[in-house]
């Protein structure tokens, strides 16, 4: 997601090239191919103030995209103003990029980012997933995040199976928008939620609007291509006004 949060430009889990996976330098990438083109290419992105990475899986932590962003828009100059927030024990994967400000957050930890316009606060919270990039590095962490600015709050859940930890988020105040993963649940239900569970967790957190992600992009599971978004819409049939968007490339404006 590309978010303009009161002038702070945020990018979550960017993967903007035709394939994700293991990159053979100067040749090709071994891994799943995109089924739907991204709304913007890497070259079309504006200058990014903050990148938020939920975990190290290839479809959420695409090093080719991150390398390109770290060079800065339209030039070979490092974008030194971009801060990267990532999960525990994943910063080492970014050593070959040109990012200077890389911060790992554990569950319950908060950091404040000072941008050219103002500050923004990000807090890591517990989700139910796993963080290994390859088979032998299961020590890597995984996060959901709360993003706060000007008294408004956005929840970015990353990937998660159903968990009751979202109820705890309600204690610290209401949430304006919850960005929830709704796909990859068949057969991976132990680490991903169904659309109905995603709606339930966002509601448990007290979210006003829900934005579905993690569907119609890569073939990573067996459910039909359109099933996640159709089930998501059905789950909110009685409250369609809570649906922030439905298709890749749409824009949602948070009401003031």
């Amino acid at each position: 997601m590309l978010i303009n949060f009161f002038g702070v430009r945020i990018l979550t889990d960017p993967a903007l090239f035709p394939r994700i996976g293991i990159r053979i330098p100067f040749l090709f990438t071994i891994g799943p191919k995109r089924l739907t083109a991204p709304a913007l290419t890497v070259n079309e992105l504006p200058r990014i103030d903050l990148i938020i990475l939920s975990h190290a899986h290839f479809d959420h932590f695409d090093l080719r995209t991150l390398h390109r962003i770290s060079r800065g828009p339209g030039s070979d100059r490092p974008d030194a103003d971009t801060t990267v927030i990532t999960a525990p024990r994943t910063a080492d994967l970014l050593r070959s990029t040109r990012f200077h400000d890389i911060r790992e957050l554990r569950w319950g930890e908060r950091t404040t980012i000072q941008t050219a316009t103002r500050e923004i606060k990000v807090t890591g919270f517990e989700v139910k997933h796993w963080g290994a990039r390859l088979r032998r590095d299961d020590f890597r962490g995984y996060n959901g995040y709360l993003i706060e600015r000007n008294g408004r709050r956005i929840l970015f859940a990353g990937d998660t199976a159903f968990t009751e930890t979202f109820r705890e988020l309600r204690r610290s105040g209401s949430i304006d928008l919850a960005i929830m993963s709704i796909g990859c649940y068949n057969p991976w239900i132990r680490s991903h939620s169904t659309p109905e569970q995603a709606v339930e967790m966002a509601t448990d957190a007290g979210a006003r609007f829900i934005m579905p992600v993690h569907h119609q992009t890569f073939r990573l599971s067996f459910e039909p291509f359109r099933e996640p978004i159709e089930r998501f819409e059905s789950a909110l049939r009685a409250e369609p006004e809570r649906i922030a968007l439905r298709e890749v490339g749409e824009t949602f404006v948070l009401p003031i």
Side-chain angles (χ1 to χ4, degrees), residues 14 80 150 172 179 230:
N150 287 4
S172 56
I179 303 171
E230 291 172 353

Side-chain angles (χ1 to χ4, degrees), residues 10 55 65 108-109 129 139 144-145 167 194 210-211 235 238 253:
I10 305 167
H55 60 292
T65 299
E109 289 185 338
H129 198 56
F139 58 87
Y145 297 96
R167 295 180 182 177
T194 65
I210 309 174
M211 182 174 290
V253 179

Side-chain angles (χ1 to χ4, degrees), residues 89 130-142:
R89 300 174 295 281
W130 55 289
R133 188 170 182 84
L134 302 171
R135 289 186 178 183
R136 298 182 181 274
D137 61 347
D138 57 2
F139 58 87
R140 300 191 187 280
Y142 48 93

Side-chain angles (χ1 to χ4, degrees), residues 2-255:
L2 174 62
I3 305 168
N4 185 336
F5 201 16
F6 295 103
V8 178
R9 287 162 295 193
I10 305 167
L11 199 59
T12 65
D13 288 356
L16 300 178
F17 284 95
R19 287 188 183 273
I20 54 168
I22 298 174
R23 178 72 176 165
I24 307 301
F26 308 108
L27 294 176
F28 50 82
T29 298
I30 302 174
K33 182 180 180 180
R34 287 190 69 100
L35 303 177
T36 304
L40 296 173
T41 67
V42 174
N43 292 331
E44 292 171 332
L45 289 175
R47 180 179 293 276
I48 302 299
D49 298 300
L50 173 63
I51 294 175
I52 297 179
L53 303 173
S54 61
H55 60 292
H57 291 171
F58 285 98
D59 59 322
H60 295 260
F61 202 116
D62 181 50
L63 282 174
R64 188 180 181 194
T65 299
L66 293 168
H67 273 283
R68 179 60 187 83
I69 295 173
S70 75
R71 288 166 45 190
S75 74
D76 292 327
R77 176 181 52 82
D79 193 352
D81 295 333
T82 300
T83 297
V84 179
I85 303 296
T86 189
R89 300 174 295 281
T90 59
D92 61 293
L93 297 171
L94 297 168
R95 286 174 182 165
S96 60
T97 69
R98 302 183 186 182
F99 296 120
H100 300 302
D101 187 0
I102 301 171
R103 311 181 194 183
E104 294 185 348
L105 282 187
R106 292 176 173 80
W107 297 339
E109 289 185 338
R110 171 183 288 191
T111 189
T112 299
I113 299 94
Q114 189 68 45
T115 71
T117 52
R118 288 174 204 88
E119 68 177 27
I120 188 167
K121 296 180 180 179
V122 180
T123 304
F125 69 86
E126 180 179 357
V127 294
K128 187 177 181 181
H129 198 56
W130 55 289
R133 188 170 182 84
L134 302 171
R135 289 186 178 183
R136 298 182 181 274
D137 61 347
D138 57 2
F139 58 87
R140 300 191 187 280
Y142 48 93
N143 286 342
Y145 297 96
L146 275 178
I147 311 165
E148 302 174 72
R149 178 162 162 72
N150 287 4
R152 312 300 290 270
R153 303 206 306 165
I154 296 174
L155 182 159
F156 171 50
D159 275 0
T160 182
F162 182 79
T163 172
E164 295 184 353
T165 59
F166 283 75
R167 295 180 182 177
E168 301 173 7
L169 301 175
R170 185 189 285 264
R171 299 177 184 175
S172 56
S174 61
I175 291 171
D176 297 283
L177 173 67
I179 303 171
M180 304 294 299
S181 170
I182 65 167
C184 207
Y185 47 83
N186 180 15
W188 317 117
I189 192 63
R190 293 186 177 182
S191 54
H192 296 84
S193 62
T194 65
E196 296 82 4
Q197 290 171 332
V199 170
E200 183 176 350
M201 288 186 289
T203 300
D204 285 347
R208 180 183 177 190
F209 297 101
I210 309 174
M211 182 174 290
V213 295
H214 209 269
H215 65 102
Q216 300 184 67
T217 307
F218 299 104
R219 179 69 69 188
L220 301 173
S221 53
F222 299 138
E223 68 265 10
F225 184 71
R226 293 282 304 176
E227 181 180 283
I229 191 63
E230 291 172 353
R231 287 177 59 171
F232 175 77
E233 291 177 318
S234 179
L236 286 169
R237 185 182 297 112
E239 302 175 289
E241 69 280 358
R242 295 182 68 196
I243 301 175
L245 55 76
R246 291 170 169 81
E247 305 295 338
V248 175
E250 291 183 344
T251 298
F252 171 72
V253 179
L254 183 66

